[in-house]
Amino acid sequence: QSVLTQPPSASGTPGQRVTISCSGSSSNIGRNYVFWYQQPPGAAPKLLIYRNDHRPSGVPDRFSASKSGTSVSLAISSLRSEDEADYYCSTWDDSLSAYVFGTGTKVAVL
Amino acid sequence: EMQLVDSGGGLVKPGGSLRLSCEVSGFTFTKTWVSWVRQAPGKGLEWVGRIRSETDGGATEYAAPVKARFTISRDGSKHTVHLQMNSLQSEDTAVYYCTTVGYNYGSESFDYWGQGTLVTVSS
């Protein structure tokens, strides 16, 4: 059972902005860096955001993220068809002494 | 080129064992932490365990559901990390991915991933 909660789905038309939330607690998001992963259909996950709000090289600046207290959010501005994927937040949980993932959000481009 | 190649998956009966391998290339292996993450069919991602780099002592940590059944080890001569899985149960059925941990993008990031290998536990 995931300790980080995400909405199961989000959608938008090309060019629209989509936001995904991820809610945790003081033992995980509240104390540690958060990371986001993108998993296209049938593919392995890929690091999308690191240390709360930084993009690895090669990730378009359409992707941005922020953190406030025990919640984080990922925004995709100007949605494109290739953004259709599952998105997961992740962090370390101090109480569990384990990495934890969000429940995942499937983004559809209508 | 930085690359991780997972292998060793297959069909195994409940109670059986399997060993997965993750061959790492393009990294300084002695400084590379490696984790295993799994994904049950149609489900989300679940962390399995990690092994620290040789330079950081090589200790291992595991998620509660697999502790005492799974063991992660590393072979420096072959730049390979292994996941030994014993007493397998149907709930262990998943695609298993190996990933580097914090190699380029800060500690706790799963920054590079293998392609995954499917483990099916069924009679």
Side-chain angles (χ1 to χ4, degrees):
Chain A
Q1 187 173 350
S2 299
V3 299
L4 305 181
T5 303
Q6 298 179 232
S9 64
S11 63
T13 56
Q16 276 191 326
R17 177 184 175 88
V18 167
T19 303
I20 301 167
S21 61
C22 171
S23 178
S25 70
S26 58
S27 66
N28 43 65
I29 291 177
R31 293 184 188 178
N32 298 300
Y33 288 121
V34 177
F35 304 84
W36 287 91
Y37 300 90
Q38 178 193 57
Q39 185 178 30
K46 169 188 128 177
L47 179 65
L48 191 68
I49 297 287
Y50 68 100
R51 288 192 170 179
N52 298 337
D53 57 8
H54 293 78
R55 286 184 307 276
S57 59
V59 172
D61 59 7
R62 301 184 291 105
F63 293 93
S64 62
S66 62
K67 175 178 172 178
S68 178
T70 58
S71 294
V72 294
S73 63
L74 174 73
I76 311 173
S77 64
S78 195
L79 198 63
R80 300 179 66 158
S81 58
E82 57 260 40
D83 299 333
E84 279 207 338
D86 293 326
Y87 293 81
Y88 295 91
C89 55
S90 178
T91 187
W92 179 260
D93 189 293
D94 290 343
S95 295
L96 298 174
S97 293
Y99 295 102
V100 291
F101 286 96
T103 46
T105 300
K106 183 176 292 292
V107 169
V109 181
L110 305 174
Chain B
E1 181 192 4
M2 294 173 165
Q3 192 173 16
L4 295 90
V5 178
D6 307 309
S7 62
L11 175 63
V12 61
K13 289 181 166 51
S17 298
L18 203 60
R19 189 178 82 155
L20 306 184
S21 298
C22 173
E23 186 174 354
V24 177
S25 58
F27 299 86
T28 303
F29 187 72
T30 54
K31 295 183 179 181
T32 305
W33 292 41
V34 174
S35 260
W36 288 90
V37 174
R38 68 184 179 181
Q39 186 170 36
K43 302 297 184 182
L45 302 173
E46 179 186 21
W47 178 69
V48 172
R50 73 179 177 189
I51 186 164
R52 300 178 185 225
S53 65
E54 290 161 34
T55 54
D56 287 321
T60 53
E61 288 97 10
Y62 301 94
V66 307
K67 211 168 184 177
R69 298 189 299 125
F70 289 12
T71 302
I72 301 173
S73 61
R74 55 194 303 145
D75 182 342
S77 66
K78 295 182 179 177
H79 287 199
T80 298
V81 172
H82 299 290
L83 176 65
Q84 176 68 42
M85 304 184 294
N86 299 329
S87 303
L88 282 162
Q89 306 160 2
S90 58
E91 308 87 83
D92 298 315
T93 294
V95 174
Y96 285 72
Y97 298 99
C98 65
T99 85
T100 57
V101 184
Y103 192 83
N104 270 338
Y105 293 110
S107 59
E108 320 303 359
S109 69
F110 301 122
D111 36 16
Y112 301 95
W113 294 66
Q115 83 285 4
T117 185
L118 175 63
V119 173
T120 303
V121 184
S122 175
S123 54

